Amino acid sequence: SNRMNDGNDGRGWRPTRAVELVAGTPPGGGQDRPARALIGVLEKHHLLDVPVNLTNIAGRGGGNAWDHLRRHRGDAHVLAINSPTVISNKLLGVATADYSDLTPLANLYTEYPIFIVRAASPIGDIGALIRQLRDAASVPIALATAIGNPNHIALARLTQHAGGDVKALKIEVFDSARYAIAHVLDGKAELGVITAVSAVPELAECRLRTLTLSAPRRLGGVFEGVPTLIESGIDCKVGMWRGLVAPGAIPEDAVAFWTNVLSAAVATEEWRAELQKKYWADTFTAGAEERAFLDDERAVTTAALRDLGLVP
């Protein structure tokens, strides 16, 4: 193995230069938000001796960001935000690799998909949406940020429940939920399927309405009173988890270093406040538990995509 033999001073691996944290969505997007929140906590609590620089490499639902990591094999100074597309991209043929050639460090939290319409939309509630989705092609849909992601899986489950053809769905995919929201507000799409926090400003201003959401239980705040898919008899609580991943073949003591730093970061008051403010569910795991989680997710996602006829 290529373990670094500098563990004898009791300190083991430490970053010796600035760390690069890569987000696979544009500024404000779903992978950018946790990157900024994490950097804020690391800086405020001086959890690192070196600066952390954020790089946005958008495209392919994070695929371009993880390819950047693959070019830095063995270097624990380069990290990226991890999300479910690290699994679905490979299954869908969008990428040739998944997380198995990278080093998963931790799962930070999960955010859940919401189904939004314009405030004045004729689709009044989830019942009306189900009726509409019987004819799947009749609803123009804005989806963030990739085919086969949890937003798409939740949409497909709802469509199947309605008796509609998931393959006939009229979907346009956007690199950021912010772009999908604009598309809905402009009337170019009737329905948006995005992560919950992305639409909070427009929901607070009553420019959008949430019809339903995929989550194990209801969310509070601006989602007060919004029924889950489960409440409507649809077995779906898939969410968009976010984690942290490093390049493959990094030293074992670098994995230990980052696990300690991340455990300290998520224990801070600032991070807890961030979770609450952004409607993020605390699903922190690290180490072997994290790898078991990803392997389980791969099995669940493979089955879901097969069911939905999305796997080529």
Side-chain angles (χ1 to χ4, degrees):
S1 97
N2 65 343
R3 268 170 94 161
M4 283 169 90
N5 264 334
D6 61 354
N8 310 339
D9 62 355
R11 282 159 63 89
W13 185 91
R14 300 181 85 71
T16 51
R17 58 174 198 277
V19 168
E20 181 185 25
L21 178 55
V22 185
T25 53
Q31 292 177 30
D32 177 77
R33 288 193 298 270
R36 286 174 199 270
L38 186 59
I39 289 171
V41 170
L42 294 173
E43 285 175 353
K44 183 174 186 340
H45 290 272
H46 309 291
L47 293 173
L48 292 175
D49 304 329
V50 296
V52 183
N53 301 322
L54 176 60
T55 311
N56 294 88
I57 306 178
R60 292 159 63 231
N64 293 349
W66 302 315
D67 282 351
H68 177 74
L69 245 54
R70 292 185 177 97
R71 291 191 285 274
H72 289 269
R73 190 171 165 80
D75 184 1
H77 292 85
V78 190
L79 309 176
I81 297 296
N82 199 19
S83 80
T85 35
V86 81
I87 292 171
S88 54
N89 275 356
K90 184 182 180 188
L91 295 171
L92 295 165
V94 174
T96 54
D98 59 13
Y99 58 87
S100 51
D101 66 341
L102 299 170
T103 308
L105 297 173
N107 186 4
L108 296 170
Y109 63 82
T110 304
E111 51 184 321
Y112 294 104
I114 59 170
F115 292 72
I116 52 161
V117 293
R118 284 183 304 288
S121 168
I123 303 177
D125 57 18
I126 183 168
L129 179 59
I130 288 169
R131 287 191 293 278
Q132 188 88 43
L133 284 172
R134 277 180 201 151
D135 175 11
S138 70
V139 192
I141 299 162
L143 179 83
T145 56
I147 289 290
N149 74 1
N151 297 347
H152 192 190
I153 290 171
L155 169 65
R157 292 263 172 91
L158 175 59
T159 306
Q160 280 181 314
H161 176 84
D165 175 8
V166 293
K167 297 190 198 80
L169 286 165
K170 227 167 91 183
I171 292 171
E172 201 170 333
V173 179
F174 294 87
D175 270 350
S176 165
R178 296 303 306 161
Y179 306 152
I181 289 165
H183 209 67
V184 172
L185 288 172
D186 290 346
K188 293 176 183 154
E190 194 57 57
L191 178 70
V193 189
I194 58 171
T195 47
V197 71
S198 308
V200 166
E202 289 78 9
L203 289 166
E205 292 160 9
C206 300
R207 295 170 65 201
L208 292 173
R209 285 185 291 117
T210 309
L211 302 177
T212 186
L213 50 86
S214 171
R217 62 197 66 81
R218 286 191 182 198
L219 302 177
V222 294
F223 303 101
E224 203 69 69
V226 176
T228 64
L229 289 171
I230 291 170
E231 288 175 68
S232 301
I234 302 154
D235 178 23
C236 184
K237 56 176 194 282
V238 297
M240 188 77 79
W241 43 266
R242 311 280 182 203
L244 217 63
V245 66
I250 64 168
E252 276 169 55
D253 49 356
V255 176
F257 173 86
W258 283 119
T259 303
N260 289 339
V261 167
L262 295 170
S263 302
V266 300
T268 62
E269 226 169 285
E270 286 77 13
W271 183 259
R272 321 292 319 158
E274 200 74 27
L275 292 180
Q276 206 171 358
K277 191 174 79 206
K278 297 208 163 104
Y279 301 94
W280 293 345
D282 176 9
T283 50
F284 184 78
T285 56
E289 200 188 343
E290 162 65 355
R291 284 186 292 282
F293 164 78
L294 287 172
D295 293 344
D296 187 50
E297 273 292 293
R298 178 157 52 187
V300 168
T301 306
T302 305
L305 296 182
R306 218 167 259 153
D307 279 359
L308 306 173
L310 293 173
V311 173

